[in-house]
Amino acid sequence: MNYTTQMDAARKGIITREMEIVAKKENMDAGELRNLVAEGKVAIPANKNHKTLSPEGVGQGLKTKINVNLGISKDCPECDKELEKVRVALEMKAEAIMDLSNYGKTEGMRRKIVEMSTAMLGTVPIYDAVGFYDKELKDITAEEFLDVVDKHGQDGVDFITIHAGLNREAVETVKRNDRLTSVVSRGGSLLFAWMELNNKENPFYEHFDKLLDICSKYDMTISLGDALRPGSINDSTDASQIKELITLGELTKRAWEKNVQIIIEGPGHMALNEIQANMLLEKKLCHGAPFYVLGPLVTDIAPGYDHITSAIGGAIAATYGADFLCYVTPAEHLRLPDLQDMKEGIIASKIAAHAADIAKGVKGARDLDNAMSKARADLDWEAMFSLAIDGEKARRYRAESQPHDEESCTMCGKMCSMRTMKKILSGEDLNILRD
């Protein structure tokens, strides 16, 4: 039986190869997964032209996935450095990579990432438009914006961020409601400017059906971008954010009518006490579609440490419904991240995702934690290193401070509780003072 997209297949009762792979990764019955894809509660971003992809599912009942942002800019145009980040991100088992390149001709780099990446690839086509056409933003036509989307589909991009919810009505809402940080989404600000400069409707909103036809052709998932996400804790859960979210819910239903998979993007910056309610709002207003959050960052005063502020918010967000975390690095708000920044961002995001999976009761989520606890009780250092999220760092820390007693570490020495209990319970001599 023929099908156009993963959602189309699911609604026809077909379990695709991609569904089989994802079901195995998630320890889930493939039929159950198919039903979730059919309902739109799980998306499997898998462009037909991405031949190296190892597919992943994003959504209800699945492990929380993480995304790594990278890409060149005018100030940092070295493609080789960004491709090295891709290689390392794949080694660190990130499930998604977004190429946010916004300078020059990005097609070559995008194609190289598709060729080498087993992770799903996302892009923001509007970033590419200015360089692709070598035109000022104001002079790009609605048709040209859509043609760039088609080009990304041809190149094998699995999911695209499209800020279709920023319509003229939303623009007026922004103007009526003051914010400290206005529009902080890069793509959102570009579209806002285009609409104001041309006095026209958002082309992605006005021509949403054409966009859906393009995405259906390649089975490219739309990540409906939150152009009006809060860029400060002061601006969270305000009229502009919620107005756009309502529109995203309406667009989600239109996409599903054409069997196009949808992910919803969310905040942003947000105080701890607002996160749970925001997760509920998204799931209600967007009909259970998978939710993808940047952070949220829970305080605005930690530049240099925003991988931590993001991980705190991300763990809470995923506990209460977010399905996909976009990593944040220590360089957030300061500069383009380097390789070490990226590694720290990945680790922080993976910790947040795993902590949330434990809280959500995701099948098998506690297994590694229980194995680590047993290794600690057994003082089995090699097992501890192998089970650690960053075993390399754990091994290095222990090597840098060698204990007198090889079983323990330099924190407790022979007073190590694990050593004490292991010896006492096995009937051995405790021997704390003697060599």
Side-chain angles (χ1 to χ4, degrees), residues 322-379:
D323 307 289
F324 195 12
L325 303 180
C326 186
Y327 91 151
V328 172
T329 77
E332 185 79 6
H333 302 111
L334 301 172
R335 60 171 168 82
L336 190 77
D338 63 18
L339 188 61
Q340 185 58 37
D341 295 328
M342 185 196 76
K343 289 180 179 179
E344 291 184 36
I346 290 173
I347 294 296
S349 190
K350 286 173 75 75
I351 292 169
H354 182 68
D357 288 347
I358 292 170
K360 287 191 286 192
V362 171
K363 188 183 294 184
R366 289 176 178 262
D367 291 352
L368 286 174
D369 296 79
N370 292 340
M372 176 66 88
S373 297
K374 184 171 190 312
R376 285 178 174 154
D378 292 341
L379 295 170

Side-chain angles (χ1 to χ4, degrees), residues 303-316:
Y305 298 91
D306 276 330
H307 59 311
I308 296 174
T309 64
S310 168
I312 293 168
I316 296 169

Side-chain angles (χ1 to χ4, degrees), residues 45 58-59 64-67 95-98 120 159 223 263 290-294 318 321-326:
V58 179
T64 306
K65 306 305 185 299
I66 72 161
N67 171 69
E95 291 92 1
I97 291 169
M98 288 199 80
M120 53 185 165
F159 66 101
S223 190
I263 295 171
F291 199 17
Y292 175 30
V293 295
L294 177 68
D323 307 289
F324 195 12
L325 303 180
C326 186

